[in-house]
Amino acid sequence: EDQVTQSPEALRLQEGESSSLNCSYTVSGLRGLFWYRQDPGKGPEFLFTLYSAGEEKEKERLKATLTKKESFLHITAPKPEDSATYLCAVQAGDYKLSFGAGTTVTVRA
Amino acid sequence: GAGVSQTPSNKVTEKGKYVELRCDPISGHTALYWYRQSLGQGPEFLIYFQGTGAADDSGLPNDRFFAVRPEGSVSTLKIQRTERGDSAVYLCASSAEGLEAFFGQGTRLTVV
């Protein structure tokens, strides 16, 4: 069974204080690893897909990386508007997404 | 609209009642997913449609839950004899085959 573990559960940052979120996974036959952002009361918003170890993707202050066992989401010089819950999910050959519990990031001005 | 639309956004029902939750996917997306999310948890897989057929319903918790997608577009999640433990946010997502899934805003179901 696919397993996804995210750490830490919560992260409090000062504006401009860079940090990283971790997503460890076990899956049989990875098709893709996905990062989503979720704001309170909203559905998950797609950020990135990573397909193979060594791949990196960037979007504004966010950068996602992938190894064979884990993925990192790096937040560089965060702003208060980056406050959200960040979800990691893996997709195997059966197409369904298996999610972690998320990391809730709070950025203080 | 351009995104996945779910209705209603909120639903309060009494224990034992029947409810239907609707999902309008992004036009042209052949894959449709239903997930359930409890407070503080990540979304939990319920069922996946490819076209009109349920390709994987292994996440449905029991036979009170059923979903249909008769014309390969709109989908309805049906819950019979609701229980308080069914209270959660029900999320729908759609994707072009094999690509990233886009989620709706969810339906918050409260069973009282």
Side-chain angles (χ1 to χ4, degrees), chain A residues 5-44:
Chain A
T5 303
Q6 292 188 245
S7 61
E9 290 184 9
L11 190 59
R12 294 177 65 85
L13 301 172
Q14 196 68 32
E15 184 172 4
E17 179 188 359
S18 301
S19 189
S20 296
L21 285 56
N22 177 266
C23 171
S24 297
Y25 66 91
T26 56
V27 62
S28 178
L30 180 72
R31 289 180 53 90
L33 184 140
F34 300 79
W35 282 98
Y36 287 85
R37 169 192 171 125
Q38 187 172 30
D39 293 301
K42 302 289 182 70

Side-chain angles (χ1 to χ4, degrees), chain B:
Chain B
V4 178
S5 177
Q6 291 188 245
T7 54
S9 55
N10 283 283
K11 176 70 176 179
V12 180
T13 191
E14 292 181 347
K15 178 176 178 296
K17 297 290 188 182
Y18 168 83
V19 296
E20 289 189 351
L21 312 179
R22 177 187 169 104
C23 173
D24 280 274
I26 293 171
S27 177
H29 280 189
T30 56
L32 185 145
Y33 307 80
W34 283 99
Y35 285 81
R36 177 167 72 173
Q37 187 173 28
S38 300
L39 193 62
Q41 300 297 315
E44 173 192 22
F45 172 77
L46 295 177
I47 187 168
Y48 157 58
F49 288 90
Q50 184 58 245
T52 60
D56 184 346
D57 64 358
S58 62
L60 295 177
N62 52 59
D63 61 6
R64 295 186 298 105
F65 289 75
F66 190 70
V68 295
R69 195 185 184 199
E71 297 179 356
S73 179
V74 171
S75 177
T76 305
L77 178 66
K78 307 180 181 191
I79 310 174
Q80 298 177 325
R81 304 183 304 279
T82 52
E83 300 177 356
R84 293 195 178 88
D86 299 335
S87 296
V89 175
Y90 289 81
L91 295 165
C92 176
S94 70
S95 73
E97 187 172 349
L99 300 179
E100 57 269 10
F102 294 90
F103 282 81
Q105 296 296 291
T107 294
R108 180 174 300 278
L109 177 67
T110 304
V111 182
V112 297

